[in-house]
Each structure stands twice: as structure tokens, then as C-alpha cells.
Amino acid sequence: MELQLGLAPPNHLIKGFDLNSPEEIMGPAKWACVLGLCGGKRDFDEAFDGPIKTLPLLWKQDDGGDEDDDGAQMGLDDAHSFNQCNNRRSIVGWPPIKASRKLGYGGGSTQREEMDESKGGYVKVMMEGVAIGRKVDLTVHDSYQTLTHTLNNMFGIYEKSGKEDGAKSPRYKLAYQDKEGDWMLVGDVPWGTFVQTVQRLKIQKKND
Amino acid sequence: MLAVDPEPRSNRIRQMASAFPEEVLEHVFSFVTSDKDRNAVSLVCKGWYRIERFCRRRIFVGNCYAVSPAIVTRRFPELRAVELKGKPHFADFNLVPYDWGGGVWPWISAMAEAYPQLEELRLKRMVVTDESLELLSRAFGNFRVLVMVSCEGFSTSGLAAVAANCRNLRVLDLQENYVEDQSGYWLSHFPESCTSLEVLNLACLEGEVNSSVLERLVARCPNLRTLRLNQAVPLEKLANILRRAPQLVDLGTGAFAADPRQELYSKLANVFEGSKSLKSLSGFWSVVPSYLPAIYSVCAGLTSLNLSYATIQSVELVNLISQCHNLQRLLVLDYIEDSGLDAVAASCKDLQELRVFPSDPYGVEQLVSLTERGLVAVSAGCTKLHSVLYFCRQMTNAALLAVAANRPNLIRFRLCIIEPRTPDYLTQQSLDVGFGAIVKSCQDLRRLSVSGLLTDLVFEYIGAHAKKLEMLSVAFAGESDLGLHHLLSGCKSLRKLEIRDCPFGNKALLANAAKFETMRSLWMSSCAVSFGACKLLAQKMPRLNVEVIDEVGRPDSLPESSVEKLYVYRTVAGPRSDMPDFVCTL
């Protein structure tokens, strides 16, 4: 495989959020402020020797796709962006429902399922650092190899072998979001299963 | 009143202990069945320890890594029944990587040697391979009970081996496992001579099983009391199967859907009328409502009803449930709505357990009218209600206060407000006060899951008041280490704590290190605990395994950055040897 497989990493920009410098606030931490969590809580800092570094309060993996979906830019004013996302599946394992239960809703297809079926074999592909996503038609591919070949061409990824021994050193990894909203490594399941369940793809730089 | 005996207490104990021959003590101990009591017995003196260990027949290992198979088999040479749990609870929600561990093979291979007389094995959240099942089927000649809950790693081939080789099998109970379907013919591996089945639960199997094979199996097992079919068994076959087992107490239907046909309806209604012993119904994977009246004849006798896969509307649900006057346990989708829960509150006065699941967990809008009002109504109308699992989209402190006031007898209260950090929708405040009321009022509360907008204050309440709380689940809550500190320094009965996406960090963890030896386990993911702190904790507490799970990178390269996932548990077995490379024990 030309693209290294890997899960989307958690938000690695680990900083506490500083209310005085809004430009430092990134991603999900914003609506924590909007919901009134931040004000007046510095007393605990005094109790505990200084500000406690915290993670952004939400591990939101799909920073790219959802904004494009609903057309909103993830700006500082967009306080309700989380609430407005059409798809909450970005949070792994939330709401806390067992997998067997998710599959069990075998009844009539919901509106979402109908929407998914209508888009044919196309899934959205986002690449880290690239603002505009692309769409790839899975029905014209028959294997992971052909898919990665297409993606390489689409995003201009040309793997150079920088090593003397000629081994490829893939700089990217490919992840997909399945029907249950979970992000998985591409390549773990048979191609046929993958095609049935994939909702979107993400190419990310591999942190080595 | 006894005269004071001047002899030292230890001598008196020894005298007492040796006053009875071992056989008598063994006989007495055989009446001591609870694990806690057994453990207490073994601590009285060396003699009792020795006798007790030889006559202990069942053990429960809540964390398979807290002890090793070798230690268990060495101490208890005569076990007949073993129960093991593997992965942490959050594995149910995909938070634990697939190959984290929890393999049962080392246990089965050790027990195959040590306990040829093993009769019962119960597994939860473990990885079970076909080889493990094959070994099990061959190693234990009198094997009777196999229960697997939320396990994975095996296929129908493994089941075939169990069916073929376990001559005295009484219980095959498969709950919510992920089973790879190789072939439906595994059921045919039960020999004609197998007539001992009492429990057969196939509900989690995805593939088809041969209906006539199933029917013949059911027909020749007169003691069958529980039969749970999988989704693939069509409604047309249900009547034939059920007719073979009029003695059934617990039935899980297959699909409960077919084109409306009078003769099929009559057939079903007839056979249900003959099932006079039915107390529990489940299945209903898909439902055509016009067939539901076929089961009305059993409603009055039902104590347990699981409609949580039935995507039917409130009116139809209510028509059914309001006839179940003796219902004690109800699982249902939020299609029931507040109006339906009003009906439940009016009709099901014996209700003890209620679980309401979300029909559209990932949608943003509220499509069904299920709110805090339904929960309050049931808490008011059902005086025996002690266990609640409730998914909803809005909540108020007032509602929680009402629930707390109505139901001080709550033992389990799990509330999941689907949107993280949702405040009280009337006041926009946090729900600290509401959950605080719950823990103050419900003195016997053993299990709690909190959600919605919560500050550190709620943890102060929980730490101070939840004296019997054993398991707590926290997500997207709190503001600082103080929250975690409140929990760890209070909650004296706490055994399992699982936390995700909370700003809890190093200080609370390290300040309360000793607490973890009194608990089974702690899970923290997407919090603010650094690798350095984990290392420090591990150094401080050698009898804990401090596992850092990091699938992305090497956590020790950046000791101050937060670890992805942390799993801490007490153990007498030391670090485990089967960790994949993204897990390290410090």
C-alpha cells in the first residue's frame, strides 16, 4: 500500500485555553467558553498552583468535513457549530451505545440512510492541511490498491523513497469513518465490507 | 453473658478452628456461597484458609489481569465454575483498541490441565478464539454451562465444536457477542443424543440457522426454559419452534415481521396461548404491528419485556405494554415517548427496571417526544423502580430533584443526555444540583452515569454523599482536577471509575494514588493526564498496573503531553505479557 494506514490522531495541539487570547482558542474549546464554563473558575488554579493545562474538551476528529457539510466556516464567532453539525458521529463512542444495538435498528431506513444511498458510490475525502475536500467514486474501484492509486493522483501525493534501500517511506495514513461513526484504519476489513460501510475518508500526515 | 476468657484470642481461634473435623468445616463452608463471605472465611486462620481453598467451587474474577491463571489454579484446585471479565467497560463503545488484550486462551489452557472437572465458564468482554472453544469442548468432560457476553474472536466453527463435544451441555448463552458466521450448520453438530439443553441463546448470531434442525433440537430438550432466536429466524418458523417448547419461560423471537396473513396470525396466537409459562419476551428485531396482538395472551404473565429493537410507534407500544401488569423489567426505544411512559407508570406498578434507548442517536434534532417528563412520570408511578437507563435530549434540575424525591430506592441510575454538556434547558444552569439530589436521596445507589453540563460541584456532591456507589461513568464533565479529587477522596465504595473527555489531570491522580488499590480499575481517556504522571503513579504504586494506551505515537517522547488513554488496575499478577505495542505498562 502506498499510503500508510493509521488512525486519525487525537487533537495534538494540547494547550490550555486562554480567554485573553482568543486566537489561541481552537476547535472545540470554543463552545466550552460559550456555555459559560470558563468564567470564574480560576479559583481552582489558585488552589492548585497555577493554571491546569487541559485538553480541548472534545476529541473531535473530523474537523474538516462537517464544516463543509453545512457550509459554515469554523470561525471564532461560530459558537454553536457543534450543535449545528448535521452529523454528530465525529465523537468516538458517543452516545454510549453498544455496537450490537446500532446494527439492530433494522427497521425502516431513516432519512440519513436514504441520503447515503442516493449519493451512489461517492465518498468525501479530506486531506490534512487541504481546505477543499474531494469526492471519490468507490464503485469504479475494486481494491484498496486502486483506491490509493486514485487518491495519490487526486491529492498529488507522490511517494519518494528517501531511503537507500529503496523502501517506500509512506508519509500519509488513510482512515475511514464507518456507518457507526467510528474512525478505522483503511485496509483492516475485506474490500467488499469496506465499501458497504465507509462514509468518508481522511488522509493524514503520519507523525513519525 | 460469657465470662472473660483470659487466653489470647489467637489461641481461642485455633481451638475453635480445630474443634471441628475438617469434613464438618467443609460442610459448613458449602453453605457459604457469596464470594465476599468465602473470602472472609479464608482469612479467619490458616486452617480455615487451607480448608476453604480446597472446597471452593466457584470464583469470580472481575478483571482477568488482576490475577493469573497460575495463581488461581494453585490456590483453588477444585473449582467447578469460573467467571472472568476482560476488557474495560468502555470497550463496548469502541474506546478500547481491538487487540488490547483480554484473551481467554491462557485461562482455558491452564484450566484444561488443572480442572478437568470444570462445569461452568462465564466470560464477559473477552477475546475467545475458535481454538479456545475447541480446547474447552475437549478438555472438560462434564462441561455444562457456557455464557459469553460481549465477547469476540470466534466463529460458528468454535460453536460447532462446543455443540459436538460437550455431551452434557445445559447452557449455551451468547449475549451480544461478535460472532463470525462461517456456516449455519454448526447447530447440526448437536448430536441426537443431546437432550440436556436448558438455555439456548443465539440472539447475537447474524447468520441463518437451519430452522428444522433448531426445531428438532428444541423438541428433544424437555428442560429447555430459555430460547432466544436470532434475527434471521423468520416469523413463519416461530410458531413451529415454539410449539415444540410449551414449557418455555424465556423466549426471544426472531424477526416479528411478515406480510399480514390471517392464517399466520392465527397460528401464532394459538401457540402463544399454549405458552403458559412465558415470563420473558425479547427479540422483536423488526415488527409488523398487526402481529403484536398474537402475544396478548402472555402479557399478563410477563415480568420482562425487551422491545428495544422494535421500531414501532408509541401507540402500538402502549397497546402491548399496558397489558403487562406484572412487568418488572422493560427495555424500549424512545419511540415510546413521554405519553407512553405515562401509560407505563399507570399500568406497570411492579416495574423495577426501565431502559429507554435512543432511536436516532446520531441525529441532532429531537424527532420523538421523549423528555425528562417521561422519566419523572415513571419515577412517580412505579414505586419499586430501582434501575434506570435513560437516553434523552433534554433535562432539568427540577426533574432530577423530582426523581430523587420520588425514588430514594434507586440502585442504578444512568442518564445519558445525548448532546454533551447540555444544561438545564429551563434555567441554562448546570445539572450539578439535580445529580446532587440523586446521590443525597438515593443512599443505596451503586451505579451512576452522569451527563449534561456539569461542573466540579457535582463531584463534590458525589464524593460526599454516594457512600455505596461502586461504579461511576463520567463524560464531558467537570472543570479541573478538583472534580476528580472529590471523587477519589470520597466515594468510599468506589470500585470502577471510567472517565472520558474531562479536564482531569495529574494532581488529582497522584494525590489519590492509594485509592486505586481499593478499586478494581480506573479508565481515563481524552483527559489531561501526562505520561510523566502515569510513570510516577506506577513507581509509587507497584501493585497497580498503569497501562498507557496510545495508538498514535510514542507517548514517552513527550512526557508532558497528555496520554490518549489510561487504564489503571490493581493486580497481584504483575505487568501482563500480552500487550500489543501501543500499550505499555509503566
Side-chain angles (χ1 to χ4, degrees):
Chain A
M1 291 208 53
E2 288 160 330
L3 293 183
Q4 184 71 33
L5 306 176
L7 283 177
N11 194 330
H12 51 277
L13 303 171
I14 296 157
K15 304 178 198 166
F17 44 83
D18 182 351
L19 292 178
N20 296 322
S21 18
E23 60 272 15
E24 271 199 79
I25 299 176
M26 78 255 118
K30 289 195 288 295
W31 29 267
C33 298
V34 170
L35 292 173
L37 277 184
C38 306
K41 301 295 177 283
R42 291 292 175 191
D43 331 344
F44 301 127
D45 300 336
E46 283 149 23
F48 274 3
D49 304 329
I52 293 150
K53 297 218 181 306
T54 58
L55 266 186
L57 294 174
L58 193 59
W59 173 13
K60 190 164 182 293
Q61 289 180 299
D62 190 11
D63 290 327
D66 289 329
E67 289 92 25
D68 287 336
D69 275 343
D70 58 17
Q73 281 292 92
M74 193 70 152
L76 289 174
D77 300 321
D78 192 2
H80 303 293
S81 59
F82 179 78
N83 293 332
Q84 283 172 353
C85 279
N86 292 331
N87 185 351
R88 187 187 289 100
R89 293 184 187 224
S90 309
I91 313 176
V92 175
W94 189 265
I97 307 173
K98 292 184 192 173
S100 56
R101 191 158 286 286
K102 290 180 232 178
L103 294 169
Y105 299 146
S109 64
T110 63
Q111 194 193 6
R112 179 167 297 114
E113 280 163 50
E114 283 160 4
M115 275 163 53
D116 287 347
E117 280 153 18
S118 68
K119 43 172 216 240
Y122 281 90
V123 293
K124 193 165 194 172
V125 191
M126 297 295 295
M127 177 160 159
E128 187 183 344
V130 177
I132 312 288
R134 304 288 299 273
K135 279 197 156 125
V136 64
D137 184 357
L138 291 178
T139 58
V140 305
H141 297 87
D142 63 352
S143 68
Y144 288 118
Q145 265 176 316
T146 52
L147 173 65
T148 53
H149 186 75
T150 301
L151 292 177
N152 285 347
N153 288 338
M154 215 179 245
F155 288 90
I157 302 166
Y158 298 100
E159 298 298 327
K160 288 198 161 62
S161 72
K163 295 197 164 115
E164 288 306 310
D165 59 4
K168 285 197 196 285
S169 54
R171 295 173 290 124
Y172 296 94
K173 53 192 173 188
L174 185 61
Y176 74 100
Q177 188 178 44
D178 69 4
K179 274 202 165 105
E180 285 105 53
D182 306 315
W183 284 91
M184 320 278 271
L185 292 170
V186 164
D188 274 357
V189 299
W191 172 257
T193 311
F194 166 74
V195 169
Q196 300 276 352
T197 191
V198 62
Q199 298 297 298
R200 57 182 73 199
L201 292 163
K202 191 174 210 169
I203 304 172
Q204 286 184 300
K205 294 194 178 72
K206 195 163 167 288
N207 299 326
D208 257 333
Chain B
M1 169 134 176
L2 291 173
V4 174
D5 191 327
E7 278 198 77
R9 191 160 180 268
S10 53
N11 281 353
R12 290 207 312 278
I13 289 173
R14 238 177 275 127
Q15 285 168 10
M16 270 197 322
S18 57
F20 298 103
E22 282 189 19
E23 296 82 8
V24 174
L25 281 171
E26 256 193 59
H27 183 68
V28 171
F29 293 168
S30 69
F31 295 100
V32 179
T33 47
S34 102
D35 290 315
K36 261 192 175 155
D37 291 342
R38 278 257 142 165
N39 290 341
V41 160
S42 67
L43 290 175
V44 165
C45 64
K46 282 200 183 122
W48 282 32
Y49 178 93
R50 189 175 40 82
I51 296 167
E52 195 281 322
R53 64 179 265 259
F54 278 102
C55 66
R56 181 137 9 164
R57 294 285 176 266
R58 359 185 105 244
I59 56 159
F60 166 74
V61 181
N63 174 4
C64 65
Y65 291 121
V67 73
S68 72
I71 294 173
V72 171
T73 54
R74 200 162 50 228
R75 178 171 171 192
F76 299 115
E78 301 285 341
L79 292 182
R80 300 270 187 279
V82 173
E83 183 172 350
L84 300 170
K85 293 189 179 180
K87 299 185 191 182
H89 174 238
F90 272 177
D92 285 354
F93 317 126
N94 291 345
L95 288 178
V96 178
Y98 170 69
D99 41 357
W100 168 84
V104 79
W105 174 261
W107 287 89
I108 294 194
S109 66
M111 294 191 296
E113 281 206 41
Y115 307 132
Q117 70 283 18
L118 191 76
E119 294 174 1
E120 303 180 11
L121 186 61
R122 293 171 172 80
L123 305 173
K124 186 166 186 179
R125 282 189 214 100
M126 298 204 70
V127 177
V128 182
T129 57
D130 283 342
E131 286 118 321
S132 301
L133 290 175
E134 277 150 25
L135 177 56
L136 179 150
S137 76
R138 286 181 281 109
F140 308 119
N142 199 24
F143 196 74
R144 298 182 179 189
V145 172
L146 180 61
V147 179
M148 293 195 282
V149 181
S150 301
C151 296
E152 60 186 345
F154 62 101
S155 75
T156 46
S157 305
L159 295 177
V162 172
N165 302 330
C166 298
R167 304 285 173 80
N168 293 315
L169 196 67
R170 299 197 182 164
V171 172
L172 181 60
D173 189 355
L174 307 172
Q175 298 177 31
E176 294 173 330
N177 303 293
Y178 180 71
V179 184
E180 207 187 297
D181 184 43
Q182 303 268 324
S183 142
Y185 285 101
W186 72 271
L187 207 60
S188 321
H189 287 251
F190 278 110
E192 288 300 314
S193 53
C194 169
T195 58
S196 50
L197 281 178
E198 297 171 17
V199 173
L200 183 60
N201 179 359
L202 311 173
C204 64
L205 297 183
E206 287 184 1
E208 289 189 16
V209 288
N210 187 310
S211 300
S212 47
V213 168
L214 180 58
E215 214 184 297
R216 286 202 306 276
L217 178 61
V218 166
R220 66 177 183 271
C221 294
N223 296 324
L224 193 69
R225 59 176 192 271
T226 294
L227 176 65
R228 295 193 181 182
L229 307 172
N230 66 343
Q231 198 165 354
V233 176
L235 190 57
E236 290 84 349
K237 305 286 185 188
L238 178 61
N240 298 344
I241 295 168
L242 193 51
R243 191 171 298 120
R244 305 293 195 159
Q247 76 285 3
L248 270 188
V249 172
D250 181 325
L251 171 70
T253 72
F256 208 78
D259 294 330
R261 274 163 21 225
Q262 185 56 47
E263 40 89 19
L264 178 56
Y265 176 89
S266 304
K267 213 165 112 171
L268 279 167
N270 266 330
V271 80
F272 273 101
E273 264 163 48
S275 300
K276 307 247 187 258
S277 309
L278 269 184
K279 289 208 161 358
S280 171
L281 269 184
S282 58
F284 299 105
W285 307 102
S286 46
V287 179
V288 165
S290 52
Y291 279 105
L292 283 176
I295 65 174
Y296 282 1
S297 56
V298 302
C299 285
L302 286 183
T303 55
S304 173
L305 182 57
N306 184 349
L307 293 166
S308 62
Y309 292 95
T311 54
I312 56 179
Q313 300 307 307
S314 179
V315 161
E316 285 129 7
L317 288 166
V318 168
N319 283 343
L320 182 59
I321 297 170
S322 53
Q323 303 196 40
C324 303
H325 297 289
N326 291 308
L327 207 58
Q328 295 171 14
R329 187 169 186 261
L330 175 64
L331 282 67
V332 74
L333 283 172
D334 58 9
Y335 287 129
I336 193 160
E337 300 194 328
D338 290 338
S339 56
L341 289 177
D342 283 330
V344 169
S347 317
C348 307
K349 289 307 194 185
D350 278 352
L351 196 68
Q352 297 174 21
E353 179 176 353
L354 174 69
R355 298 192 189 201
V356 180
F357 294 97
S359 54
D360 184 23
Y362 304 112
V364 181
E365 307 126 46
Q366 177 144 348
L367 298 173
V368 289
S369 180
L370 180 100
T371 69
E372 77 283 3
R373 291 194 294 277
L375 176 61
V376 172
V378 177
S379 76
C382 302
T383 58
K384 302 188 188 166
L385 189 69
H386 58 57
S387 296
V388 171
L389 170 62
Y390 200 78
F391 283 83
C392 61
R393 287 189 151 82
Q394 63 183 54
M395 189 49 56
T396 62
N397 282 310
L400 288 172
L401 260 76
V403 171
N406 290 335
R407 294 277 62 78
N409 51 325
L410 283 177
I411 298 176
R412 293 175 204 93
F413 186 69
R414 293 192 279 162
L415 179 66
C416 179
I417 305 166
I418 290 176
E419 176 91 19
R421 300 198 188 85
T422 303
D424 176 324
Y425 74 92
L426 291 178
T427 64
Q428 296 308 313
Q429 298 198 331
S430 72
L431 293 173
D432 298 333
V433 165
F435 279 106
I438 296 276
V439 294
K440 279 181 208 158
S441 166
C442 307
Q443 286 294 305
D444 291 324
L445 197 69
R446 295 204 303 255
R447 185 165 181 188
L448 177 66
S449 301
V450 296
S451 58
L453 182 64
L454 297 167
T455 72
D456 287 341
L457 189 57
V458 72
F459 301 114
E460 195 181 324
Y461 295 145
I462 298 174
H465 296 281
K467 299 198 168 66
K468 300 220 181 123
L469 191 67
E470 297 179 6
M471 182 168 178
L472 177 65
S473 308
V474 183
F476 306 104
E479 309 156 287
S480 74
D481 268 29
L482 200 56
L484 181 58
H485 177 69
H486 285 313
L487 290 177
L488 295 177
S489 56
C491 293
K492 29 184 226 200
S493 307
L494 196 62
R495 291 192 299 115
K496 290 180 279 183
L497 179 58
E498 47 186 27
I499 300 172
R500 61 163 297 175
D501 293 275
C502 296
F504 298 151
N506 302 335
K507 287 195 159 71
L509 198 77
L510 293 172
N512 294 284
K515 175 78 168 175
F516 304 123
E517 275 191 6
T518 70
M519 292 168 53
R520 182 188 296 174
S521 64
L522 165 75
W523 170 278
M524 288 177 75
S525 55
S526 304
C527 296
V529 177
S530 75
F531 186 82
C534 294
K535 224 169 161 182
L536 209 57
L537 177 65
Q539 282 166 4
K540 233 174 141 173
M541 308 291 301
R543 284 187 300 200
L544 300 177
N545 275 356
V546 178
E547 288 190 13
V548 169
I549 300 165
D550 210 312
E551 292 174 279
V552 174
R554 297 279 314 147
D556 50 2
S557 56
L558 289 166
E560 285 322 302
S561 68
S562 297
V563 303
E564 252 181 67
K565 297 166 187 178
L566 170 66
Y567 186 46
V568 178
Y569 54 91
R570 65 182 178 191
T571 179
V572 295
R576 58 184 175 110
S577 52
D578 61 350
M579 291 177 291
D581 52 18
F582 52 79
V583 180
C584 59
T585 298
L586 302 173

